[in-house]
Amino acid sequence: MGYRVSCAVICAYKSAELQHQLKMEKAEKMLLQSLVVLPTGDVNASVRLNKEHLHISVLCALWHLYLANGKPLEFLRTIDALHGMVAKKEFHSFFNLGFNVSLSLRALTLLQVRRGDVKAAQITSDLALEMFQLSVRDSTSNFNHFKEVGYTHSHALEAMRLSRRTKSADDALVRRTLSRTLRIPEDTYPQAFETMHETFLAAAELVTPDTQPAQTPTTD
């Protein structure tokens, strides 16, 4: 089942890149179903079978997909759900999921700075720092692991810079940051990036102090 979930994640990113409406809708259904059929039992070391890594991977792919499909409210609910899960810091190991977590927290920090919520942005970037530190703790001497820690560090660092040194996030800063954060590159998939950028700006307008905490998406 873990391999099928991983395939659903791949389909989601690819459909977003292609901006194919029907495929994005099908990918969304696959990801939502994946949240229901995640592997159970003990945490497996394999990224294809590790239920913690797969859960974060699905949520990260899902918020990317919502941005690419022009669904700002769904994007907000999903990235908030990911943040809430991460904030508990109850994972068996923090290394495998560090990359998806760090870029998600960087995107969320940018969103909070965009809407002027400096306090929330600082809390999110502090969590990104903690996740980096925990990811390093759980990494190994494997060359690929050592390289991936660098990506986690970069996202955490930029989240901290956003929250501590940025007073406001204009359109240029949002575009530049998203270009360096999203898993769908702007230069390779410009149409997809433009849609994601526009949806992100729309999502920032929807965030208000009255926004209710989001729950993890389900198929209900």
Side-chain angles (χ1 to χ4, degrees), residues 49-68:
L49 302 174
N50 184 316
K51 61 184 179 182
E52 296 176 344
H53 167 74
L54 290 171
H55 196 165
I56 291 295
S57 183
V58 169
L59 291 178
C60 186
L62 193 57
W63 70 251
H64 274 79
L65 188 64
Y66 285 140
L67 281 182

Side-chain angles (χ1 to χ4, degrees), residues 1 5 33-40 50-51 54-56 58:
M1 188 56 67
V5 171
Q33 182 62 27
S34 293
L35 291 171
V36 180
V37 298
L38 288 169
T40 58
N50 184 316
K51 61 184 179 182
L54 290 171
H55 196 165
I56 291 295
V58 169

Side-chain angles (χ1 to χ4, degrees), residues 84-156:
M85 182 180 177
V86 171
K88 296 178 181 178
K89 291 174 279 190
E90 296 176 348
F91 301 107
H92 181 267
S93 173
F94 292 81
F95 169 71
N96 285 335
L97 43 86
F99 176 70
N100 283 326
V101 165
S102 62
L103 69 87
S104 296
L105 294 180
R106 181 180 180 181
L108 182 56
T109 301
L110 176 66
L111 182 77
Q112 291 163 338
V113 172
R114 172 73 178 185
R115 69 175 178 129
D117 195 341
V118 177
K119 182 178 180 180
Q122 290 176 343
I123 292 173
T124 301
S125 67
D126 286 345
L127 180 59
L129 172 60
E130 287 185 75
M131 292 302 296
F132 163 69
Q133 293 169 329
L134 292 168
S135 179
V136 171
R137 183 199 67 184
D138 294 340
S139 64
T140 70
S141 59
N142 179 286
F143 284 171
N144 289 330
H145 288 187
F146 192 73
K147 179 180 180 180
E148 190 163 315
V149 166
Y151 298 132
T152 304
H153 172 269
S154 177
H155 287 308

Side-chain angles (χ1 to χ4, degrees), residues 6-71:
S6 295
C7 288
V9 170
I10 294 171
C11 288
Y13 284 119
K14 185 55 62 177
S15 67
E17 291 169 353
L18 297 175
Q19 285 286 279
H20 192 292
Q21 187 64 38
L22 180 59
K23 293 184 185 298
M24 285 193 288
E25 295 295 339
K26 288 183 176 180
E28 179 184 345
K29 292 180 180 179
M30 286 193 290
L31 290 179
L32 293 175
Q33 182 62 27
S34 293
L35 291 171
V36 180
V37 298
L38 288 169
T40 58
D42 295 336
V43 177
N44 194 294
S46 168
V47 294
R48 300 303 176 205
L49 302 174
N50 184 316
K51 61 184 179 182
E52 296 176 344
H53 167 74
L54 290 171
H55 196 165
I56 291 295
S57 183
V58 169
L59 291 178
C60 186
L62 193 57
W63 70 251
H64 274 79
L65 188 64
Y66 285 140
L67 281 182
N69 203 14
K71 297 183 176 182

